[in-house]
């Protein structure tokens, strides 16, 4: 499976920090093209959550894409 095709729901566990980093990397070029500063924190390091990592990443990518879309050019997007 891949983040864009996560497959069937697998109630496993996901490293939230790794999922978030991957999602941020997926939209970083889009943000940079608009001159936006995409900021993240390290507060989630070591955080494991119950859920499907691929589906969770897809949700985060959608949220970040919306943030890029609706944040002004040269704006700041902060992911906590």
């Amino acid at each position: 499976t891949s983040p864009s095709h996560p497959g069937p729901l697998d109630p496993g566990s996901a490293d939230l920090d790794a999922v978030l980093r991957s999602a941020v990397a997926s939209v970083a070029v889009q943000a940079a093209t608009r001159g936006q500063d995409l900021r993240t924190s390290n507060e989630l390091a070591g955080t494991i959550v119950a859920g499907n990592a691929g589906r969770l990443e897809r949700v985060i990518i959608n949220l970040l894409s919306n943030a890029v879309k609706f944040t002004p050019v040269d704006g700041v997007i902060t992911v906590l």
Side-chain angles (χ1 to χ4, degrees):
T1 63
S2 72
S4 60
H5 295 87
L9 185 59
D10 174 15
S13 61
D15 178 341
L16 192 55
D17 183 55
V19 169
L20 183 62
R21 286 176 196 253
S22 181
V24 167
S26 294
V27 299
V29 171
Q30 183 183 3
T33 300
R34 292 178 46 90
Q36 295 165 330
D37 185 7
L38 185 55
R39 299 177 184 176
T40 60
S41 71
N42 289 330
E43 293 182 25
L44 297 176
T47 302
I48 305 298
V49 296
N52 181 286
R55 289 180 187 245
L56 182 58
E57 182 175 355
R58 186 72 241 155
V59 168
I60 295 171
I61 288 171
N62 286 342
L63 291 169
L64 291 173
S65 292
N66 283 338
V68 169
K69 182 177 178 180
F70 294 106
T71 297
V73 172
D74 297 327
V76 177
I77 299 166
T78 304
V79 182
L80 299 175

